[in-house]
Amino acid sequence: MRVLLLAPLLASLALSAMAANDTADDAPVYGPRLEGFDYPWALHRFELNSQQQSLEMMYMDVAPQGDANGETVVLMHGKNFCGATWEATIKALTQQGYRVIAPDQIGFCKSSKPQHYQYSFQQLASNTHALLEHLGIENATVLGHSMGGMLATRYALMYPDATQRLVLVNPIGLEDWKAKGVPWQSIDDWYESEKQASADKMREYQQSTYYAGHWKGEYDRWVEMQAGMYRGEGRDINAWSQALTYDMILTQPVVYEFKDLEIPTLLIVGDQDNTAVGKGLAPEEVQKTLGHYAELGPEIAERIPESTYVHFEDLGHSPQVQAPERFHESLLEWLGQNH
């Protein structure tokens, strides 16, 4: 394992004023499938039959700018994210000649949100593999952030011959929360909790977890992307989809299988991340033991046979959004060294 330490920022970012609350007249309202929110590139539709249902998986397929290098990168978003959140990363990759595929997984954002669906990382990986086969892509670098890191890991384990390289960005699932003492919660209870979602709650959480206590006005776009789906007719179906996927995350750990990865893997971690799904359900003494990414990162990197570990001491859960230039410099350097 190679370890790279990136220097922290010399100065903290000043906190900007918080955006208007969720009841403001100009607060955006988006449809059940994020209708009304514009993606940075054209969306394409992949129709698939899954679990006796006709579903639509929406995705961006962005061509390289200038000379193509013949390689494809597939981006897997996190639970509170969408394909659009990868905007800066797509620009950085395509400028270096990569073709980029950025899907919204079934149950998220612009894709179908079936009311009855057996969510599993295996199922989402299979859906993504079917999309790539449809596009004629036999081999790709798979890059996953947050929940997408769990999915990308499962994809690489299921399809090692189709995975050129694996990149994990602050992946959740570096620990088994249930085994550490997070109690199980019913999907019905997750659903009731999710129906209480608001922009103010999301902004507060994202500031403390995604951005290590800092805030920029540009982050509000990603808060509103998520919150806008809860302001209109899509609130209930989005809350239900989120509840179903919470159960998937908590009951399908990948932490025990990192040792089985067979491909070059880059693990990028913002040390200030404190994400731990279900932490608020656990007793206080258990909560204190969860979400220590500065410790989890190097521990997991040691388990991955062919890994490179990059960490940012001052960044949070979303380094690609919080400090895109630093993040992309590290990503592109590693990709260039590991053809």
Side-chain angles (χ1 to χ4, degrees):
M1 178 189 71
R2 292 183 287 152
V3 178
L4 303 177
L5 171 62
L6 301 187
L9 290 174
L10 297 177
S12 297
L13 298 173
L15 295 180
S16 64
M18 288 301 179
N21 66 39
D22 226 31
T23 61
D25 291 339
D26 59 351
V29 177
Y30 300 126
R33 287 178 55 178
L34 201 51
E35 293 91 344
F37 183 90
D38 294 331
Y39 273 37
W41 288 275
L43 279 167
H44 305 274
R45 177 182 292 103
F46 173 55
E47 298 179 354
L48 69 156
N49 291 315
S50 179
Q51 300 183 21
Q52 299 186 345
Q53 300 178 75
S54 296
L55 303 175
E56 294 180 340
M57 189 174 182
M58 307 303 291
Y59 66 97
M60 290 178 287
D61 183 352
V62 188
Q65 301 180 32
D67 294 333
N69 62 18
E71 297 187 19
T72 299
V73 180
V74 179
L75 303 178
M76 296 183 172
H77 62 77
K79 182 169 172 54
N80 297 325
F81 303 83
C82 296
T85 322
W86 288 113
E87 181 174 358
T89 300
I90 293 172
K91 289 180 180 177
L93 289 167
T94 54
Q95 286 173 356
Q96 296 300 315
Y98 294 94
R99 178 185 180 184
V100 177
I101 309 297
D104 284 344
Q105 296 296 327
I106 295 298
F108 295 87
C109 309
K110 298 277 189 179
S111 292
S112 296
K113 297 182 171 77
Q115 185 172 5
H116 302 288
Y117 200 67
Q118 180 64 54
Y119 282 97
S120 69
F121 287 114
Q122 286 88 344
Q123 179 67 73
L124 298 185
S126 176
N127 295 346
T128 305
H129 191 251
L131 168 64
L132 297 183
E133 286 188 322
H134 169 74
L135 296 173
I137 299 171
E138 297 180 355
N139 195 268
T141 294
V142 178
L143 192 164
H145 168 242
S146 191
M147 180 202 76
M150 294 183 77
L151 174 56
T153 300
R154 180 58 59 203
Y155 185 96
L157 291 166
M158 291 175 64
Y159 306 106
D161 294 338
T163 309
Q164 181 182 3
R165 292 163 294 202
L166 176 63
V167 182
L168 305 175
V169 182
N170 279 78
I172 61 173
L174 299 184
E175 55 189 339
D176 185 341
W177 306 290
K178 187 166 62 70
K180 285 190 170 184
V182 172
W184 178 82
Q185 178 170 256
S186 73
I187 292 173
D188 292 320
D189 285 342
W190 279 117
Y191 174 59
E192 292 301 322
S193 175
E194 280 298 298
K195 285 196 296 183
Q196 307 307 312
S198 71
D200 291 338
K201 292 178 181 178
M202 293 173 185
R203 189 176 294 108
E204 181 181 2
Y205 174 74
Q206 291 186 19
Q207 181 179 1
S208 64
T209 301
Y210 294 4
Y211 309 117
H214 305 296
W215 192 261
K216 293 181 180 179
E218 63 200 57
Y219 301 154
D220 278 312
R221 182 185 179 208
W222 308 123
V223 171
E224 296 299 341
M225 176 188 69
Q226 183 184 7
M229 290 187 289
Y230 284 81
R231 295 191 182 108
E233 61 179 347
R235 183 196 70 162
D236 289 354
I237 188 58
N238 277 283
W240 184 246
S241 293
Q242 290 290 301
L244 292 173
T245 51
Y246 267 125
D247 191 72
M248 171 184 73
I249 290 169
L250 279 166
T251 61
Q252 300 174 29
V254 297
V255 64
Y256 306 110
E257 297 171 82
F258 285 116
K259 61 181 176 55
D260 299 324
L261 290 168
E262 301 175 352
I263 53 176
T265 300
L266 172 63
L267 176 58
I268 302 179
V269 166
D271 285 348
Q272 299 303 310
D273 191 0
N274 56 18
T275 304
V277 175
K279 181 164 61 175
L281 304 173
E284 185 175 353
E285 61 272 19
V286 173
Q287 293 185 32
K288 294 176 182 179
T289 69
L290 304 174
H292 298 293
Y293 270 71
E295 301 170 6
L296 292 168
E299 177 186 329
I300 295 302
E302 287 286 353
R303 300 187 194 181
I304 300 172
E306 192 176 346
S307 71
T308 299
Y309 179 55
V310 172
H311 65 120
F312 303 87
E313 290 184 331
D314 57 320
L315 302 184
H317 185 64
S318 298
Q320 77 278 20
V321 178
Q322 187 180 0
E325 291 185 0
R326 295 162 62 196
F327 171 82
H328 294 128
E329 180 182 5
S330 299
L331 172 64
L332 292 169
E333 179 182 357
W334 183 83
L335 291 174
Q337 295 172 351
N338 292 270
H339 289 290

